Amino acid sequence: MPHNYYHDLREFLEVLQKRGLLYSWQRPVNKDSELMPLMRLQYRGRSDAERQAFLYENVTDGQGRRYGIRVLTGVYAASRKIVTLGMGCEDPGDIYERWRRAVDKPIDPVTVPDAPVQEVVHVGAELEKIGLAMLPAPVEEPGFSGDTRVTGPFITRDSESGVRNVGMYSGHFRPPDRLLAGIGPSHHAMLYHYPNAKRRREALPVAIVLGALPDINYVAAANLPYGLDELSVAGGIRRRPVELVRCKTIPLEVPAEAEIVIEGEISTEELEAEQPFSDFPGYLMVERHRRPVVRVTAITHRRNALLTAILVGLPPSESNGISRTCREMILYSFLKYSCNLPEVLEVCCPEMGGGWNWWVIRMRKSHPSKPWQALQAASGRDPANKVIIVVDEDIDPKDPD
């Protein structure tokens, strides 16, 4: 286990490169038709142990435009080894206890006066002219909707209670300066913060964080109890406070080490129909929900910035890798410690279940009632599950066959 967690995403990339877990594409790659299909092809043709993060150094679009921002995919969960390193561990079996300690002993973040993520600031007339088009967000499913989005931690805060939430959501681009907030109605930002802002007839400030360290993305994707600061849990993972910097145009703070931040306000009055897009189980969402509109107020980034693009959709994909790991860590800790089931040895959410809907629990034999206790406890822990299986300790839960 590394003695010190990474300073920023660029240091993490250096580690991945040394381990043979990063591949750099030097030739031009079209973000509209090639970039995500290359990542998808890797998931289709390579085993988990062989998968790498992809760094696209020379990004273009369908009109031949070249971007000055590089694109990075798979850096958070292309493989189990990448997730393990992202948690600051060497052995995959160590991530569960590291997670438990981080939740039990969170470390509050600290605020710093300036940060690399604000080396370049786009606001006002410049933002109106360039806007979201400056970001090379790839088309994830070419041939379907052509939808472009960013998926990453969204930071909001309830102005009444002061409770901060960091959730993993999608922002669907509507250039030049609008995007749709792809936040499910049961997620904390939409369940608590949005209604409170609507009652006050105010917009809800939001910061979308791209290119933060892996721990920020893992805590954002985890279903932590409301009121437990996800950034404090990230501090527990890295064993030092997360450094935050004040946003330029909204009353929020963001991780100082991030690569790109989109600042904005979620309208509590303006809704817009979304276009079809591929969601985490692999189904194409065509219900045309009406989503809140986010008005972008600033885009800040590091020089020579990296845009992290998370492949969402048909398993296996990176979003599934993130989701399954978070649920495994949470369910393991819940069953073993909260439910007093020391017989629980391992929890696996096979990636073909989308990281949510299929759980396998490996246990030691002690008493015939224990498997039923584990099954009933797990079924009540998360309503998203559909199939839960308990197996003996000599069965590999990671092998669906």
XYZ file of all heavy atoms in Angstrom, residues 112-171:
439
model
N -8.146 26.357 0.600
C -6.894 27.022 0.240
C -7.224 28.246 -0.619
O -8.277 28.298 -1.252
C -5.955 26.053 -0.519
C -5.534 24.905 0.384
C -6.613 25.522 -1.789
N -6.336 29.254 -0.635
C -6.666 30.514 -1.323
C -6.647 30.428 -2.840
O -7.353 31.173 -3.520
C -5.599 31.487 -0.810
C -4.455 30.606 -0.396
C -5.069 29.348 0.125
N -5.827 29.548 -3.416
C -5.767 29.431 -4.873
C -5.446 27.991 -5.231
O -5.055 27.201 -4.378
C -4.735 30.389 -5.479
C -3.393 30.308 -4.761
O -2.842 29.198 -4.648
O -2.893 31.359 -4.315
N -5.609 27.663 -6.535
C -5.490 26.257 -6.912
C -5.184 26.126 -8.395
O -5.521 27.009 -9.195
C -6.779 25.518 -6.585
N -4.549 25.010 -8.780
C -4.255 24.771 -10.195
C -5.497 24.762 -11.072
O -5.430 25.163 -12.244
C -3.580 23.393 -10.176
C -3.008 23.254 -8.810
C -3.958 23.971 -7.912
N -6.647 24.309 -10.535
C -7.838 24.208 -11.366
C -8.348 25.574 -11.811
O -9.190 25.669 -12.712
C -8.950 23.441 -10.620
C -9.559 24.274 -9.500
C -10.028 22.964 -11.584
N -7.820 26.649 -11.237
C -8.220 27.991 -11.645
C -7.091 28.756 -12.328
O -7.083 29.985 -12.357
C -8.750 28.754 -10.424
C -10.038 28.157 -9.868
C -10.542 28.838 -8.617
O -9.814 29.610 -7.974
N -11.788 28.574 -8.237
N -6.153 28.007 -12.910
C -5.087 28.661 -13.682
C -5.656 29.411 -14.881
O -5.146 30.465 -15.271
C -4.066 27.621 -14.144
C -3.198 27.068 -13.029
C -2.279 25.956 -13.490
O -2.545 25.333 -14.544
O -1.277 25.690 -12.792
N -6.718 28.863 -15.496
C -7.392 29.510 -16.626
C -8.858 29.649 -16.269
O -9.496 28.676 -15.850
C -7.231 28.694 -17.918
C -7.907 29.413 -19.085
C -5.759 28.440 -18.222
N -9.410 30.857 -16.420
C -10.794 31.127 -16.040
C -11.528 31.735 -17.225
O -11.071 32.725 -17.813
C -10.864 32.087 -14.830
C -12.323 32.391 -14.479
C -10.145 31.492 -13.627
N -12.677 31.150 -17.580
C -13.524 31.660 -18.657
C -14.847 32.109 -18.059
O -15.606 31.296 -17.519
C -13.786 30.576 -19.707
C -12.543 29.985 -20.302
N -11.845 30.599 -21.322
C -11.876 28.846 -20.015
C -10.794 29.853 -21.645
N -10.790 28.784 -20.868
N -15.134 33.413 -18.147
C -16.377 33.972 -17.634
C -16.859 35.052 -18.600
O -16.152 35.443 -19.535
C -16.201 34.593 -16.220
C -15.895 33.525 -15.182
C -15.106 35.658 -16.225
N -18.076 35.538 -18.359
C -18.586 36.687 -19.087
C -18.678 36.499 -20.579
O -19.085 35.445 -21.085
N -18.270 37.538 -21.317
C -18.391 37.528 -22.775
C -17.573 36.412 -23.403
O -17.983 35.802 -24.399
C -17.959 38.889 -23.331
N -16.402 36.131 -22.830
C -15.571 35.045 -23.363
C -16.279 33.709 -23.229
O -16.276 32.890 -24.149
C -14.239 34.997 -22.625
C -13.312 33.905 -23.143
C -12.093 33.713 -22.259
O -12.060 34.270 -21.148
O -11.180 32.983 -22.689
N -16.936 33.490 -22.099
C -17.671 32.245 -21.895
C -18.840 32.153 -22.868
O -19.106 31.075 -23.439
C -18.170 32.168 -20.453
C -18.993 30.927 -20.101
C -18.134 29.682 -20.170
C -19.610 31.069 -18.716
N -19.540 33.256 -23.066
C -20.671 33.259 -23.986
C -20.231 32.942 -25.409
O -20.961 32.300 -26.166
C -21.380 34.614 -23.942
C -22.058 34.913 -22.612
C -22.676 36.292 -22.585
O -22.694 36.944 -23.653
O -23.136 36.722 -21.509
N -19.043 33.360 -25.758
C -18.555 33.142 -27.120
C -18.064 31.707 -27.324
O -18.364 31.079 -28.348
C -17.410 34.120 -27.421
C -16.830 33.976 -28.821
C -15.713 34.987 -29.056
C -15.113 34.811 -30.456
N -14.011 35.787 -30.692
N -17.324 31.173 -26.365
C -16.722 29.849 -26.514
C -17.590 28.781 -25.866
O -17.974 27.801 -26.482
C -15.308 29.824 -25.902
C -14.429 30.921 -26.519
C -14.663 28.458 -26.103
C -13.065 31.037 -25.876
N -17.904 28.984 -24.594
C -18.798 28.107 -23.878
C -18.349 26.658 -23.803
O -17.158 26.330 -23.842
N -19.332 25.779 -23.707
C -19.068 24.352 -23.544
C -18.362 23.747 -24.744
O -17.764 22.669 -24.646
C -20.380 23.614 -23.290
C -21.076 23.926 -21.964
C -22.492 23.365 -21.952
C -20.274 23.379 -20.792
N -18.407 24.439 -25.886
C -17.754 23.916 -27.089
C -16.241 23.813 -26.923
O -15.582 23.118 -27.710
C -18.091 24.798 -28.291
N -15.682 24.465 -25.916
C -14.238 24.350 -25.705
C -13.860 22.972 -25.158
O -12.697 22.575 -25.231
C -13.765 25.439 -24.727
C -14.081 25.153 -23.269
S -13.380 26.371 -22.122
C -14.407 27.790 -22.471
N -14.844 22.245 -24.611
C -14.570 20.957 -23.992
C -14.837 19.827 -24.988
O -15.950 19.722 -25.516
C -15.448 20.775 -22.746
C -15.303 21.845 -21.663
C -16.279 21.570 -20.525
C -13.873 21.908 -21.141
N -13.861 18.963 -25.229
C -14.025 17.882 -26.214
C -14.798 16.693 -25.652
O -14.313 15.558 -25.641
C -12.585 17.512 -26.560
C -11.815 17.798 -25.313
C -12.474 19.007 -24.698
N -16.017 16.939 -25.182
C -16.824 15.845 -24.643
C -17.161 14.882 -25.771
O -17.726 15.285 -26.792
C -18.093 16.399 -24.010
N -16.848 13.608 -25.625
C -17.070 12.660 -26.725
C -18.519 12.192 -26.815
O -19.256 12.207 -25.829
C -16.154 11.488 -26.366
C -16.063 11.530 -24.875
C -16.149 12.981 -24.488
N -18.914 11.780 -28.012
C -20.190 11.105 -28.207
C -20.015 9.666 -27.726
O -19.165 8.945 -28.232
C -20.624 11.137 -29.689
C -21.914 10.336 -29.882
C -20.813 12.576 -30.148
N -20.808 9.265 -26.746
C -20.597 7.945 -26.151
C -21.159 6.825 -27.008
O -20.622 5.724 -27.051
C -21.219 7.900 -24.752
C -20.478 8.785 -23.765
C -21.079 8.723 -22.366
O -21.518 7.635 -21.955
O -21.115 9.764 -21.701
N -22.278 7.064 -27.683
C -22.914 6.028 -28.497
C -23.133 6.562 -29.913
O -24.253 6.891 -30.301
C -24.259 5.612 -27.869
C -24.151 5.056 -26.463
C -23.577 3.650 -26.431
O -23.392 3.052 -27.503
O -23.309 3.145 -25.327
N -22.080 6.663 -30.717
C -22.249 7.147 -32.093
C -23.267 6.281 -32.841
O -23.281 5.060 -32.721
C -20.856 7.000 -32.698
C -19.930 7.046 -31.531
C -20.674 6.368 -30.412
N -24.131 6.938 -33.619
C -25.144 6.223 -34.372
C -26.498 6.220 -33.693
O -27.490 5.842 -34.306
N -26.560 6.659 -32.429
C -27.837 6.749 -31.740
C -28.215 8.225 -31.616
O -28.482 8.880 -32.594
C -27.770 6.036 -30.388
C -27.653 4.545 -30.523
C -26.423 3.922 -30.427
C -28.774 3.767 -30.766
C -26.303 2.552 -30.567
C -28.676 2.396 -30.917
C -27.434 1.781 -30.812
N -28.205 8.781 -30.418
C -28.675 10.156 -30.252
C -27.614 11.189 -30.615
O -27.937 12.326 -30.906
C -29.107 10.375 -28.804
O -27.980 10.311 -27.947
N -26.337 10.795 -30.580
C -25.276 11.784 -30.757
C -25.128 12.692 -29.558
O -24.494 13.747 -29.636
N -25.704 12.289 -28.431
C -25.686 13.108 -27.216
C -24.261 13.238 -26.680
O -23.501 12.271 -26.652
C -26.574 12.444 -26.161
C -26.720 13.292 -24.912
O -27.098 14.462 -25.038
O -26.466 12.765 -23.812
N -23.894 14.442 -26.281
C -22.608 14.663 -25.615
C -22.875 15.101 -24.190
O -23.790 15.875 -23.916
C -21.765 15.741 -26.331
O -22.515 16.952 -26.422
C -21.382 15.282 -27.723
N -22.077 14.581 -23.272
C -22.265 14.886 -21.872
C -20.947 14.725 -21.135
O -19.994 14.122 -21.644
C -23.323 13.972 -21.259
C -22.948 12.503 -21.333
C -23.978 11.614 -20.659
N -23.846 10.229 -21.067
C -24.569 9.240 -20.596
N -25.473 9.475 -19.673
N -24.414 8.004 -21.026
N -20.928 15.237 -19.933
C -19.850 14.932 -19.001
C -20.479 14.223 -17.808
O -21.592 14.542 -17.390
C -19.095 16.199 -18.538
C -18.230 16.744 -19.650
C -20.050 17.269 -18.028
N -19.774 13.228 -17.302
C -20.226 12.496 -16.127
C -19.150 12.622 -15.065
O -17.977 12.333 -15.324
C -20.468 11.019 -16.462
O -21.477 10.918 -17.474
C -20.930 10.251 -15.223
N -19.545 13.070 -13.896
C -18.570 13.276 -12.838
C -19.259 13.782 -11.585
O -20.489 13.905 -11.520
N -18.485 14.107 -10.559
C -19.050 14.621 -9.315
C -19.716 15.988 -9.501
O -19.109 16.909 -10.045
C -17.828 14.729 -8.394
C -16.836 13.765 -8.965
C -17.040 13.833 -10.445
N -20.963 16.084 -9.051
C -21.696 17.343 -8.984
C -21.730 17.757 -7.516
O -22.162 16.987 -6.658
C -23.135 17.183 -9.468
C -23.327 17.172 -10.966
C -22.522 16.398 -11.790
C -24.353 17.911 -11.545
C -22.727 16.368 -13.158
C -24.566 17.889 -12.918
C -23.743 17.120 -13.733
N -21.306 18.973 -7.221
C -21.321 19.467 -5.847
C -22.446 20.484 -5.695
O -22.545 21.441 -6.473
C -19.975 20.103 -5.463
C -18.855 19.055 -5.551
C -20.034 20.700 -4.055
C -17.479 19.610 -5.254
N -23.311 20.254 -4.706
C -24.366 21.209 -4.366
C -24.380 21.381 -2.847
O -23.804 20.596 -2.116
C -25.746 20.732 -4.842
O -26.035 19.447 -4.267
C -25.801 20.627 -6.355
N -25.068 22.413 -2.400
C -25.204 22.636 -0.957
C -26.577 23.236 -0.679
O -27.049 24.102 -1.419
C -24.115 23.585 -0.446
C -24.239 23.853 1.064
C -23.285 24.917 1.568
N -21.922 24.424 1.665
C -20.887 24.905 0.984
N -21.079 25.902 0.123
N -19.679 24.400 1.141
N -27.195 22.770 0.395
C -28.458 23.342 0.843
C -28.154 24.627 1.607
O -27.465 24.594 2.633
C -29.183 22.349 1.742
C -30.557 22.840 2.156
O -30.982 23.903 1.673
O -31.205 22.160 2.968
N -28.657 25.742 1.123
C -28.316 27.025 1.747
C -28.965 27.185 3.123
O -28.544 28.036 3.907
C -28.744 28.187 0.835
O -30.140 28.202 0.671
N -29.966 26.376 3.437
C -30.596 26.460 4.753
C -29.810 25.659 5.797
O -29.452 26.171 6.855
C -32.039 25.952 4.681
C -32.960 26.833 3.859
C -34.372 26.285 3.798
O -34.612 25.188 4.357
O -35.236 26.941 3.184
N -29.546 24.395 5.496
C -28.876 23.528 6.467
C -27.359 23.556 6.336
O -26.651 23.176 7.273
C -29.369 22.091 6.301
O -28.970 21.565 5.046
N -26.860 23.954 5.173
C -25.422 23.938 4.930
C -24.893 22.568 4.536
O -23.680 22.406 4.353
N -25.777 21.561 4.398
C -25.344 20.214 4.059
C -24.871 20.185 2.600
O -25.597 20.578 1.685
C -26.472 19.193 4.269
C -26.063 17.817 3.727
C -26.821 19.094 5.742
N -23.654 19.698 2.419
C -23.075 19.578 1.075
C -23.339 18.159 0.564
O -23.335 17.189 1.312
C -21.581 19.850 1.126
C -20.853 19.569 -0.194
C -19.458 20.137 -0.210
N -18.706 19.796 0.985
C -17.749 20.555 1.526
N -17.444 21.704 0.965
N -17.092 20.184 2.603
N -23.554 18.052 -0.728
C -23.681 16.737 -1.351
C -22.772 16.673 -2.571
O -22.661 17.636 -3.334
C -25.121 16.471 -1.783
C -25.287 15.082 -2.388
O -25.216 14.078 -1.679
N -25.478 15.013 -3.698
N -22.113 15.537 -2.717
C -21.295 15.272 -3.897
C -21.837 13.994 -4.524
O -21.750 12.920 -3.932
C -19.805 15.100 -3.541
C -18.970 14.980 -4.814
C -19.312 16.271 -2.703
N -22.442 14.115 -5.691
C -23.052 12.962 -6.347
C -22.536 12.801 -7.762
O -22.168 13.781 -8.416
N -22.519 11.555 -8.238
C -22.047 11.253 -9.587
C -23.230 11.323 -10.548
O -24.092 10.443 -10.556
C -21.411 9.863 -9.618
C -20.851 9.474 -10.967
S -19.354 10.373 -11.408
C -18.138 9.468 -10.449
N -23.265 12.379 -11.357
C -24.366 12.598 -12.278
C -23.810 12.956 -13.659
O -22.603 13.091 -13.852
C -25.278 13.730 -11.779
C -25.669 13.618 -10.325
C -25.447 14.672 -9.435
C -26.274 12.463 -9.825
C -25.820 14.586 -8.100
C -26.637 12.362 -8.483
C -26.410 13.428 -7.625
O -26.761 13.325 -6.300
N -24.741 13.138 -14.600
C -24.358 13.526 -15.961
C -24.918 14.901 -16.293
O -26.034 15.244 -15.887
C -24.877 12.504 -16.989
O -24.186 11.286 -16.882
N -24.136 15.668 -17.048
C -24.580 16.944 -17.563
C -24.608 16.886 -19.076
O -23.569 16.721 -19.715
